[in-house]
Amino acid sequence: MKLGWDIFCTVIDNYGDIGICWRVARQLVREHGQRVRLWVDDLETFQRIRPGIDPARDSQTLEEVEIRRWPQDMPQVRPADVVVEAFACRAPESFLLAMAARTPKPVWINLEYFSAEAWVAESHGLASPHPRLPLTQYFFIPGLGPGTGGMLGSPAELRALAAFRADASARQGFWKETGVPEDGALKIALFAYDNPAIPGLIEALKHIGRPVRLLASEGKSLGQVAAGLGAAGLKAGDSSSLGSLTVQVLPFMPQDRYDRLLWACDINFVRGEDSFIRAQHAGQPLVWQAYVQEDGAQWPKIEAFLAPYVEGLSAPAEAALRDAWQVWNAGEARPQTWLKWLAHLPEYQKHARDWAGKLQSHPNLVDRLVGFACSKV
Ligand code: TRH
């Protein structure tokens, strides 16, 4: 069924919200033939992950997605068949009134953050009537397992990943474009928040007895990377070596290229939600820095993910992995933890491939979203 979609996205303080909305929008168009209008309140941030965006324009179409600036004064438009408010953002009152006046009423969805916690299966799909207007919103919650909203990933992404893996010249081309020499060093992608655990990781990486290239993404973590190197500061393009460790700072890159970075590196340090899910599909050992929430709500999320993730690891590898994720998320500088973790790298490599394989049998978020919307129109 070909439906029209209005997706509302506010950019809070990072890239994950728009990063996810952009993937969902493209996938709806490309893989399901849907019509999508994406409302975004911060086109400058959007432009960083998708450089073709012109922040000066109120309306533009890219990759067949209609992109609209979400202004303070919302223009009068007819709501589409499906209205998605992403990550607890709220469509303007005037738009809700137009939704209430529309026949038939749009399917109204609150797209939530991913979590592997058990409550997701209980709350996914629940209806929440509007207190005044004749509208009902449905919670759509991504998660692991059959009763959830599934995980963001697409068959096209997996095909592109498989093709990239199989094509040495594509990988060489990628490293060349990114300005990273192919010198046989262990390549580690680092995308993190400001994290006091980083100097401990850098200390450990100096002592693992093989060349290492730490590819740090420009942004919040650079202060701690500089501290670990004993440098005054770092900026995109800088490179610094300490013995067999080289730290290279990568400029923020378009999202499609960042995906390739995760596919091409041997180890991925990721954060938030979108890079975390991409790193799981990439099938390489990963370490996740969860977005810090009030009252430490990120800790049960980490535990809920680790419970299925560590299944099948040997006891020492599981203990080292749990310790590493704990230290990373608590922000503790502990080089010994990383040396123990790195000692299990071959086991983690196989395990990460197996996990990526298992994910293919999990429900896919956009398939689920389309199925859900079609069942409610
Ligand atoms: O930027 P994030 O920290 O986003 C977070 C999370 O979504 C979190 O759940 C949310 O509450 C908070 O924002 C407000 O990390 P995340 O989710 O990994 O999103 C980063 C996006 O940026 C992702 O789509 C990948 C993209 N990206 C690039 O396009 N280029 C880059 O160079 C890098 C490093 C990332």
Side-chain angles (χ1 to χ4, degrees):
M1 195 186 298
K2 184 161 181 160
L3 297 173
W5 297 64
D6 274 311
I7 302 179
F8 285 89
C9 175
T10 48
V11 174
I12 304 174
D13 55 352
N14 289 304
Y15 300 95
D17 301 304
I18 184 57
I20 292 168
C21 288
W22 178 232
R23 283 189 204 280
V24 169
R26 280 194 302 179
Q27 207 177 322
L28 282 169
V29 170
R30 257 194 222 159
E31 290 171 34
H32 295 271
Q34 306 291 295
R35 284 186 314 275
V36 179
R37 185 162 55 179
L38 174 59
W39 298 89
V40 184
D41 69 346
D42 174 356
L43 294 172
E44 280 78 14
T45 300
F46 193 0
Q47 188 194 33
R48 296 204 75 196
I49 66 165
R50 180 61 176 87
I53 302 283
D54 179 353
R57 293 179 65 185
D58 291 339
S59 174
Q60 55 204 301
T61 299
L62 252 95
E63 301 185 45
E64 295 176 58
V65 176
E66 183 185 345
I67 296 160
R68 299 287 293 263
R69 182 193 307 285
W70 177 2
Q72 288 285 342
D73 280 328
M74 183 78 187
Q76 290 280 334
V77 290
R78 178 177 156 80
D81 306 306
V82 188
V83 175
V84 177
E85 291 173 325
F87 314 119
C89 76
R90 292 288 160 252
E93 182 70 12
S94 61
F95 192 83
L96 291 189
L97 289 170
M99 284 165 63
R102 186 188 192 274
T103 307
K105 297 206 180 1
V107 180
W108 186 23
I109 292 173
N110 174 5
L111 173 64
E112 277 291 344
Y113 291 107
F114 167 88
S115 176
E117 291 163 289
W119 62 262
V120 169
E122 289 151 29
S123 306
H124 171 67
L126 289 184
S128 165
H130 190 279
R132 283 175 292 106
L133 299 171
L135 292 169
T136 298
Q137 188 172 48
Y138 296 95
F139 288 98
F140 191 96
I141 317 179
L144 288 175
T148 73
M151 235 172 131
L152 191 55
S154 77
E157 176 186 356
L158 297 177
R159 281 195 301 274
L161 163 58
F164 186 78
R165 283 264 156 75
D167 183 352
S169 67
R171 291 196 306 280
Q172 281 160 5
F174 168 80
W175 287 125
K176 201 164 173 216
E177 261 173 52
T178 314
V180 175
E182 282 204 88
D183 51 8
L186 185 75
K187 292 195 186 62
I188 306 179
L190 175 69
F191 180 43
Y193 301 111
D194 177 24
N195 188 342
I198 291 173
L201 172 69
I202 290 180
E203 184 57 30
L205 293 176
K206 290 192 298 196
H207 297 109
I208 62 167
R210 60 179 286 195
V212 179
R213 186 169 283 269
L214 182 64
L215 300 168
S217 289
E218 185 184 13
K220 298 185 169 176
S221 64
L222 284 194
Q224 297 289 353
V225 176
L229 291 170
L234 286 171
K235 57 181 186 330
D238 284 353
S239 183
S240 174
S241 294
L242 281 177
S244 56
L245 168 67
T246 300
V247 176
Q248 185 175 345
V249 182
L250 299 181
F252 198 87
M253 52 183 77
Q255 192 185 51
D256 285 346
R257 188 184 297 179
Y258 178 69
D259 289 354
R260 280 165 180 70
L261 180 74
L262 297 180
W263 299 348
C265 279
D266 303 297
I267 298 173
N268 292 313
F269 283 74
V270 284
R271 72 181 204 193
E273 176 165 331
D274 191 40
S275 57
F276 174 44
I277 291 174
R278 306 276 73 71
Q280 291 177 55
H281 286 299
Q284 304 287 28
L286 70 122
V287 180
W288 178 39
Q289 185 178 12
Y291 186 75
V292 173
Q293 291 176 269
E294 269 174 42
D295 303 327
Q298 74 276 16
W299 288 106
K301 279 194 172 187
I302 296 168
E303 183 46 47
F305 175 77
L306 281 176
Y309 185 73
V310 298
E311 262 175 42
L313 281 174
S314 67
E318 177 183 337
L321 187 144
R322 284 182 173 279
D323 198 25
W325 283 45
Q326 160 75 31
V327 159
W328 194 242
N329 281 283
E332 294 164 10
R334 299 254 191 91
Q336 284 305 321
T337 298
W338 297 108
L339 290 173
K340 282 188 196 148
W341 183 79
L342 286 157
H344 297 285
L345 205 51
E347 187 173 343
Y348 297 145
Q349 273 155 352
K350 177 174 183 316
H351 191 75
R353 289 282 165 106
D354 291 349
W355 178 258
K358 281 187 204 165
L359 290 185
Q360 295 191 31
S361 60
H362 278 274
N364 166 315
L365 190 153
V366 174
D367 288 357
R368 283 265 153 145
L369 200 54
V370 171
F372 188 81
C374 289
S375 73
K376 302 285 180 201
V377 275

